[in-house]
Every structure is written in structure tokens, then in C-alpha cells.
Amino acid sequence: MQTRVVSVAAGLSAATLLLTACGSGEGDGGPVTLEFQSLSDQPAAIEATESIVAAWNEANPDTQVEIVPAGWDGIYDKLITQFNGGAAPDIIHYEAAGIVPFAVDGYLADLSDHMSEAARGDIPPGVLDSVTVDGQVIAYPTEMQSYVVFANRGMLEDAGVDVPTGETMAWEDLREIALAATTPEAHGLGWGLSSPTAVFMAMAPAFGGTYFEGSGPDASLAIGEGEMALPELVDAMAHEDRSILPVTLTQSGTEALPSFYAGDVAMTVQGSFQAANIAADAPEDLDWVVLPPLEGPAGPWQAANPQTLSVNIDSEHVEESAAFIEFFTSTDNLAALNEADSLIPATTSAREVMGSSLEGENGWDAVLASGEYLESSPYLFVDAYAQWKDTVATPAYQRFLAREIDADGLAAELENGWEEITR
């Protein structure tokens, strides 16, 4: 997938032009230098990021941005060390679920007054909510992913299934299609659920599942029908219908892809970013398609956990940093970055531009359409969520999928584990 050249002029905001004309220098009269800690780790995304920064630097000689490459591994602990040591960069790349605790602790600048009305109006309200803490916008959202169904068109047609083409498709339709496509030689679905918590929580809104009420240290957890609907559906498909290839339940999403390539499964649920990997790695004769966004009783909604750009509240150049972020997230820049990273832009205009660029490329129409149904989720604002997810929820879901505990046991483990962590 090619990265488009980013136009210097395309994303220049009024704030950028002001800085170009009246930029403030350091004490020695030199240009302001902003440190931008970037977590981009894919070659095309790194190239796109560097191109955007180069465009900014060319247009703003008095306010230069320096990329500080980091990485996703261990970044939470690294940020704790940086903030505690007064060494955090000016501009911080992360994700909503991880950055919110730093905002709550007072480490991030309020960007509400720096965000232009045009930028604010371009971000869907549910996505903007995911980066809003106590009424303060603590980050600009940049890139998102959804979970979608990739299907082998030929296998579905051989099973007598009409490939869904509507705006959305019901979860029960997925179950019926998976069962119809299951034969003695193949299963209807492969689903990598070795780390099931993120998937189940991201897709729970379609069933009315919220998990948490309240925020911060006062949040409470309740496991009801909406939270149990998807795990129970997966269990039924795996153990009653026998339409899910069993080994995939113990694999990651990426590990489950070879079964899809080999024709061992007719469909696979994956993060939407896998569209690029499938396009690159699938056999040339594999006729694959992305099915419409999955819809449950409460709609086709999924929880958004966008990647983010924030500003260190102790930066000496909050205004300049915010102006750079405004430029970075302008329409053409954000479209180029997401195309390079095979993700979904967090703004409506960038999603439209990316849709035009990728029109006709397999799967991307449905992937980008799924971005319309991403919204904020309560778990983003819960202090103990990460600990509960890793130490309680994931092991419990794994035991449930292996049928070591039943649905009642799962609900009890999730709730009791939360009580033990937060008592």
C-alpha cells in the first residue's frame, strides 16, 4: 500500500500560519524545538509521520519538531518514569485507554481552547468523548481499528450462502452462515481469541454491554446479559454448532490467518488493520471480501480506543505543540497516516479522503464503514481496568472458552476479581 506525499499547504491551519509569521524562539534567539515521542513502528507509518513532520518544519522555521522514536512495548511504564522525572516530551503519542490515567493525574494539558471548531466538528462525538476527561479534551484522536469479518467468497457460495452486502449484518446471520459453511473438511469461522478481553469488551456495545458504571477509582463493575451475550454466542458456535475451528480459540488473530489462507475456515474475525496483511499475504487465488459491520440488538456499535496525540502540561510550548497536533491531524495528513498504517481515521473528512483513495481495493469500503459505529466506552475511564483485564478477565475468559467454567462461573470470576482488586 502506497503512502501519499503530504502537501505542505494541505493541512495548514490559522494557528500554523500565525506561528510561521510570529514564531517564538528559545532564549538564545533560535527556533523553538518540540519533542514528539512517536510510537509508530511500521515502515510505511514511520515514513508518513516523517513526511508530515518535514512538511511542518518547512512551513514553520521558528517552531521545529523533532521526532523521538519510541515503541509500544513498555510505553506505559516509560511514561510514568518520564512524567515523574520531569522528562516527558512535549507531544505524546499513545492511545485513549492508556493516556486517560495520566490526564486524571494532571500530567496533560487541556487542549479544549486550542482545538479549532473545524477540527472539533470533524471528530464524531463518540470518538471525541473517548479523549475527554472531566470536560477537558486531553488529546486529539488519530487512528482507530474495528473488528470485522473477512470471508472466502468461494467457500460461502459453495455452501449456498448469499454473501451479505447490506450496510450491516446481524450476529445471528454470522452464526447461520458459519454453520452453513461448516463441512467435514472445513469450519465456518476461525477466531483468534487467545487474548479475548479486548475483543469482547470492544464488541459488547452491540449487545448493550457496558461493564462499568462511574469512572476513576469509584467505578463499579456489573456483568449482565449485555456483557455475557457475546461470550455465550462464541461458546454456542464453538461447542454446539461446532462451526468455529477449535484451535483458533487459543491463537492470536494473526496466528489464525493461515487457516483462512488455507481454506480451513470460510471466515475469520480480525482487527480491521488485517486487511492490508491479507492483501499482501493471502494466496493470489483467494477471493476474499470484508462483510458488513456486525449488528447486535443495540446496534452495530463497537468501543473506540483511538490512538492519540497529547501535550505535556509542563511543556514550555503548549500552544505551539497544540498547533502542530492540529496540523498533524488535518484531513490529508491523517488520511495519509491511516492509509500507511492500515487503520481507520478518527475524523470524518479523513475517512472520506481515504475511501476515495482506496476505492475498489478489496475490503476497504466495509472497513471504513465500520468506523462510523465506533464510540467511547466506560472502561477507558476506569483506574483499575488494566489490572483487572490482565489478572482477572483474560484468564477467566480463557477458562470459559475451554469450558473449564460455565457462564455463571465466568460472571462470578469477573465480578469477584474486580472486588478483590478494588477493595
Side-chain angles (χ1 to χ4, degrees):
M1 188 168 293
Q2 297 297 314
T3 303
R4 295 193 301 277
V5 176
V6 180
S7 168
V8 172
L12 287 178
S13 64
T16 305
L17 295 173
L18 177 62
L19 285 172
T20 303
C22 312
S24 58
E26 302 284 9
D28 60 1
V32 167
T33 300
L34 306 176
E35 289 189 344
F36 169 26
Q37 184 163 279
S38 172
L39 306 185
S40 293
D41 53 8
Q42 299 300 313
I46 293 171
E47 181 181 349
T49 299
E50 291 174 345
S51 179
I52 295 170
V53 170
W56 166 273
N57 286 341
E58 181 177 349
N60 295 273
D62 293 330
T63 307
Q64 297 290 283
V65 173
E66 176 187 346
I67 298 174
V68 181
W72 288 95
D73 290 345
I75 187 59
Y76 187 82
D77 291 336
K78 180 175 182 177
L79 282 170
I80 291 175
T81 300
Q82 289 176 323
F83 279 122
N84 287 340
D90 300 282
I91 302 155
I92 299 157
H93 177 195
Y94 202 18
E95 63 177 5
I99 205 65
V100 165
F102 293 104
V104 172
D105 289 340
Y107 289 116
L108 302 180
D110 179 7
L111 302 178
S112 303
D113 292 338
H114 299 286
M115 179 178 283
S116 69
E117 288 304 313
R120 186 184 297 270
D122 203 13
I123 303 170
V127 177
L128 187 61
D129 286 348
S130 71
V131 292
T132 303
V133 177
D134 295 331
Q136 297 183 357
V137 176
I138 51 86
Y140 280 60
T142 58
E143 303 177 273
M144 307 184 294
Q145 76 150 41
S146 63
Y147 290 96
V148 297
V149 182
F150 295 89
N152 182 320
R153 191 195 308 269
M155 291 181 71
L156 295 191
E157 292 176 347
D158 290 345
V161 172
D162 292 330
V163 178
T165 58
E167 291 186 4
T168 62
M169 63 177 288
W171 274 98
E172 281 303 317
D173 290 341
L174 176 67
R175 182 177 182 179
E176 292 176 6
I177 293 170
L179 184 58
T182 297
T183 69
E185 293 78 30
H187 287 75
L189 184 66
W191 197 343
L193 286 172
S194 62
S195 299
T197 308
V199 180
F200 287 155
M201 296 197 71
M203 305 189 88
F207 301 91
T210 58
Y211 285 87
F212 295 101
E213 291 186 4
S215 61
D218 301 321
S220 60
L221 171 73
I223 304 298
E225 291 183 6
E227 291 75 24
M228 290 299 299
L230 182 53
E232 290 182 329
L233 177 60
V234 172
D235 175 70
M237 293 176 68
H239 300 292
E240 296 174 19
D241 302 350
R242 300 186 184 277
S243 61
I244 296 180
L245 181 61
V247 68
T248 62
L249 295 177
T250 65
Q251 295 176 325
S252 68
T254 298
E255 290 169 340
L257 281 176
S259 298
F260 182 61
Y261 298 155
D264 295 330
V265 298
M267 300 178 292
T268 181
V269 178
Q270 298 281 342
S272 56
F273 68 92
Q274 295 284 17
N277 293 327
I278 294 173
D281 300 335
E284 290 186 5
D285 60 350
L286 178 61
D287 182 10
W288 61 276
V289 62
V290 179
L291 301 186
L294 289 163
E295 182 170 8
W301 301 103
Q302 293 186 30
N305 180 26
Q307 292 186 37
T308 56
L309 293 178
S310 300
V311 177
N312 177 2
I313 197 170
D314 290 330
S315 169
E316 296 180 359
H317 308 289
V318 171
E319 183 176 358
E320 293 90 337
S321 297
F324 168 74
I325 294 176
E326 184 100 1
F327 172 81
F328 191 97
T329 56
S330 62
T331 298
D332 287 346
N333 288 342
L334 208 56
L337 178 66
N338 278 269
E339 185 173 338
D341 232 354
S342 300
L343 291 170
I344 302 170
T347 65
T348 300
S349 66
R351 193 165 65 241
E352 291 172 350
V353 167
M354 192 170 164
S356 297
S357 172
L358 297 174
E359 186 175 7
E361 293 198 23
N362 203 359
W364 276 104
D365 286 348
V367 167
L368 292 171
S370 71
E372 299 178 18
Y373 305 114
L374 294 170
E375 63 178 6
S376 183
S377 178
Y379 81 84
L380 298 174
F381 308 98
V382 174
D383 286 2
Y385 166 71
Q387 182 182 358
W388 174 81
K389 171 180 176 289
D390 293 340
T391 63
V392 175
T394 294
Y397 281 127
Q398 289 170 337
R399 286 194 291 274
F400 173 73
L401 294 174
R403 286 211 152 178
E404 295 173 5
I405 55 175
D406 61 12
D408 289 340
L410 172 62
E413 286 199 17
L414 295 176
E415 291 178 339
N416 293 339
W418 175 258
E419 291 298 325
E420 290 178 6
I421 287 175
T422 57
R423 69 174 48 161

